[in-house]
DNA sequence: TTGCCGAATGTCAGCGGCTGACATAATCTG
DNA sequence: CAGATTATGTCAGCCGCTGACATTCGGCAA
């Protein structure tokens, strides 16, 4: 996080301040690394791309790369990480009248829609994030890292839900359980996205997510046989 | 799998046959590696144990280790893998009258209980599996690998559920969604287990799982505020 | 401008996970 | 016992990743 949205050093006061040259250069380098990495990953695959390649594509030493990203996985997942942050932001601003489940569902739809409208193409865009998802699914270590990130995100969701409803997640299990269920439904939708590639663009993904959500009730209740 | 429950080469007929010396030796080596690994992991931590150590503890070359396990993670998760297989077995034998959700819940409880009764201590036992879970939770790459395994297991659950209810998982999303939800509830229970260490032994874990299941309905419906 | 401080980067050496290739030794089969 | 299989050892090497130290660059005040 601190690396993703860094602050100019100093008191919390100077938030809107234009960061100095040093800070801007860092942002640039980081961005360039992400870009270069994505291009290489998508063209020749994740495993067959070495960190050295990425670094030298940006004219930076390998050591520097590892000062920006803890490992090769992280640079691949950087774009998704931003999207996840935005989702949390959406969740924080849902009206209090909504049911927790409704708030989650509305947030994820809004997040996808906004990001879809924001920048239609180019690196760091939604479409490249979607390509990324396919890549993740068949690069074992990458998938593993991604799943780990997702569960960390779930922890945050638990916190936000608990605050919102004013209860202690250590006593009341509902936030934990709901966050877990929500995460699993999303993951199922993602998987389904990578499998059949029917729907196109963010709207297709949103539709898929909705369809999965609609099956939550039916899946949990009664028998399924006709 | 093939490595976990290998068959003597030949026709499917000779299933019960005592495998030859070669096969027995392989099993032995494999078992010894798992054992040595666990001892080392639990005594000095996962990261601080090298593959060379494990291999030489069993008097085997490093290269041989990697012929038995694709990576260091795999040997750590081997025990849990067996437990997961047993759970699938339980699920396959649940009576058809049960609701899918009921069947899943009953299977996981039965699996834990049986494994708990089977062998109270020693390596490969439940208690060591429980210790393992704590280890997993704070070894990032290990956690990642574990999560990947879990999602693969979910795929199998989808298949079994679909067969059981006689429907096509590509058309009907309910098996997928239910399997995902089930997995997430389990994971939440596991996490809670590693956090508070109140309950002791398999029965404590079973209780935790049940408590989480009981919150499924409440978590999904209505408002939470009093 | 100058000069200093701290932060970012480069360089180098090295560990450990993991793999391919080939040789050797052990089992199996007839 | 002989020849075909298969497991194992050895060796060389790539790549991800890290610590230590030197160097350069931006920020800031005299």
């Amino acid at each position: 996080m601190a690396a993703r949205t860094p602050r100019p050093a100093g008191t919390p006061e100077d938030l809107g301040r234009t960061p100095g040259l040093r800070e801007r250069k860092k942002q640039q380098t980081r961005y360039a690394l992400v870009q270069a990495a994505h291009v290489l990953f998508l063209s020749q695959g994740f495993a067959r791309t070495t960190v050295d390649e990425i670094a030298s594509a940006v004219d930076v030493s390998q050591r520097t790369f590892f000062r920006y990203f803890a490992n090769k996985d992280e640079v691949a997942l950087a774009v998704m990480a931003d999207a996840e942050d935005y989702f949390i932001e959406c969740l924080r601003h849902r009206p209090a009248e909504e049911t927790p489940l409704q708030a989650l569902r509305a947030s994820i739809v809004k997040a996808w829609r906004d990001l879809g409208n924001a920048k239609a193409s180019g690196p760091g865009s939604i479409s490249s994030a979607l390509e990324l998802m396919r890549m993740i699914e068949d690069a074992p270590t990458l998938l593993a890292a991604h799943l780990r990130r997702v569960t960390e995100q779930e922890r945050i969701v638990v916190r936000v839900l608990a605050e919102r409803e004013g209860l202690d997640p250590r006593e009341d299990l509902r936030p934990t359980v709901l966050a877990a269920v929500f995460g699993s439904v999303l993951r199922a939708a993602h998987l389904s996205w990578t499998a059949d590639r029917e729907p196109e663009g963010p709207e297709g993904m949103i539709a898929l997510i909705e369809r999965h959500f609609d099956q939550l009730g039916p899946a949990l209740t009664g028998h399924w046989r006709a």
Side-chain angles (χ1 to χ4, degrees), chain A:
Chain A
M1 289 191 318
R4 242 181 290 146
T5 56
R7 267 183 203 167
T11 63
E13 263 66 59
D14 51 14
L15 262 178
R17 271 294 181 309
T18 308
L21 171 58
R22 186 178 266 164
E23 197 60 35
R24 267 179 293 145
K25 269 202 170 179
K26 256 170 65 178
Q27 300 277 30
Q28 254 176 271
T29 312
R30 187 190 156 82
Y31 184 76
L33 283 171
V34 172
Q35 290 320 113
H38 276 217
V39 171
L40 289 169
F41 287 162
L42 290 177
S43 72
Q44 56 187 3
F46 179 77
R48 270 185 302 281
T49 303
T50 72
V51 171
D52 286 301
E53 286 180 279
I54 303 171
S56 66
V58 189
D59 248 340
V60 161
S61 75
Q62 192 214 42
R63 194 64 182 86
T64 293
F65 174 94
F66 281 114
R67 284 196 254 258
Y68 280 87
F69 304 96
N71 47 53
K72 204 170 90 170
D73 301 323
E74 206 173 292
V75 68
L77 300 178
V79 172
M80 315 213 74
D82 290 344
E84 285 158 16
D85 287 352
Y86 183 65
F87 158 75
I88 294 288
E89 214 48 40
C90 292
L91 181 59
R92 280 217 169 84
H93 291 89
R94 295 309 301 179
E97 310 91 65
E98 284 179 331
T99 287
L101 180 59
Q102 288 172 336
L104 286 172
R105 179 167 177 166
S107 300
I108 193 67
V109 170
K110 177 168 165 46
W112 274 105
R113 191 154 287 151
D114 287 358
L115 292 175
N117 291 338
K119 18 182 185 171
S121 71
S125 74
I126 282 296
S127 48
S128 78
L130 290 179
E131 293 178 50
L132 206 55
M133 283 178 40
R134 295 226 167 79
M135 200 179 78
I136 290 175
E137 221 59 42
D138 44 39
T141 80
L142 200 50
L143 176 56
H146 171 66
L147 291 173
R148 218 176 73 81
R149 279 199 51 74
V150 168
T151 68
E152 271 165 30
Q153 207 70 8
E154 268 177 33
R155 279 176 136 101
I156 303 182
V157 171
V158 171
R159 278 220 327 270
V160 174
L161 285 179
E163 279 174 27
R164 175 194 157 98
E165 303 291 318
L167 35 81
D168 181 355
R170 280 167 308 186
E171 290 180 15
D172 195 321
L173 290 180
R174 286 176 297 178
T176 306
V177 171
L178 180 57
V181 168
F182 174 72
S184 71
V185 170
L186 275 195
R187 162 123 187 89
H190 287 186
L191 253 181
S192 163
W193 163 273
T194 61
D196 354 318
R197 51 182 59 200
E198 7 149 353
E200 42 190 82
E203 283 305 324
M205 172 61 92
I206 292 175
L208 247 184
I209 292 176
E210 306 252 35
R211 274 178 55 211
H212 278 77
F213 262 102
D214 289 336
Q215 294 304 314
L216 241 180
L220 290 171
T221 56
H223 283 278
W224 297 346
R225 287 178 280 257

